Amino acid sequence: MEVVIVPDAKAGGELIAEAMAQLLRRKPDALLGVATGSTPLPIYQALTAKVRAGEVDASRARIAQLDEYVGLPTGHPESYRATVLREVVEPLGLDADAFMGPDGSAEDVQAACEAYDRALSEAGGVDLQLLGIGTDGHIGFNEPCSSIASRTRIKTLTEQTIADNARFFDGDLSQVPRHVITQGIGTILEARHLVLLATGEGKADAVAATVEGPVASVVPASALQLHPHATVVVDEGAASKLKLTQYFRHTFANKPEWQGL
Ligand code: F6R
């Protein structure tokens, strides 16, 4: 995988937004897979700025959601559907029908998961999938020991993830849903380009295990090593436990040669 160390979260957001802009310039109706949480917000802000400045036309872009809480009432502001509409779809000036995501309020959750996997394939597959990473190494909500071949399905969050996400629910652990629908690792690996952004020292252990450890389901993000085009963008904090930084800093110095960026 390609690892790029950037000075800070803003630089990471700018870099990845430019990769998305380049994709949209050559494929205006690209299917962009988006993640939620705090980490990708600088990406969405930078991409929105590019669109508003006329640097890229995103009017035909399509947006696919990575995961969703199960059981939140429709329209709950912390549902991932509401979050993606607020942070991505509306700022980019897209219609809600440019957006697709799993149905977290479906009565038959398993059928909703299978339908979402099918819908992604029928849409031609995800061109660029943004990913964050959990402090426990999860991608999407594929918690440790998720099968690397897994498809979109229901998962139970770990206590660590519930604690990490309580900040979106006024710090109240009891308000964090216990279950989620997430694209499986196998589903995620079908995207044409995976771009993971990690910022802050709190992600340093997970990043080191992902990049320099073995491929192992106990570190779900390590599955990126199996993908032919995976890019991991980290700030200094998230890079602080990597050992091979001399190579990764070299990559940053040779910006024009970055594969796909
Ligand atoms: C959210 C998602 C999660 C987050 C991860 C990191 O759609 O897929 O994997 O990316 O939990 O969250 P933040 O960015 O809030 O630290």
Side-chain angles (χ1 to χ4, degrees), residues 34-41 65-68 80 84 129-136 138-142 161 164-165 167-168 182 188 197 199 203:
V34 296
T36 47
S38 317
T39 311
L41 295 178
Q65 191 178 332
L66 184 58
D67 43 18
E68 180 59 284
Y80 284 173
V84 171
Q129 177 65 55
L130 297 177
L131 297 165
I133 185 169
T135 55
D136 62 4
H138 69 227
I139 47 172
F141 275 129
N142 295 283
T161 301
D164 286 345
N165 284 11
R167 69 191 194 281
F168 297 112
T182 181
I188 291 170
L197 176 63
T199 53
K203 302 289 173 69

Side-chain angles (χ1 to χ4, degrees), residues 2-16:
E2 178 183 38
V3 180
V4 182
I5 301 175
V6 293
D8 53 32
K10 189 164 183 288
E14 179 59 39
L15 176 73
I16 296 171

Side-chain angles (χ1 to χ4, degrees), residues 33-34 64-68 102 116-117 120 126 129 139-142 150-153 155 181-189 191:
V34 296
Q65 191 178 332
L66 184 58
D67 43 18
E68 180 59 284
Y116 190 50
D117 257 359
L120 288 170
V126 173
Q129 177 65 55
I139 47 172
F141 275 129
N142 295 283
S150 52
R151 311 300 304 173
T152 300
R153 69 214 183 291
K155 289 290 287 180
I181 292 177
T182 181
Q183 285 188 32
I185 299 177
T187 314
I188 291 170
L189 290 176

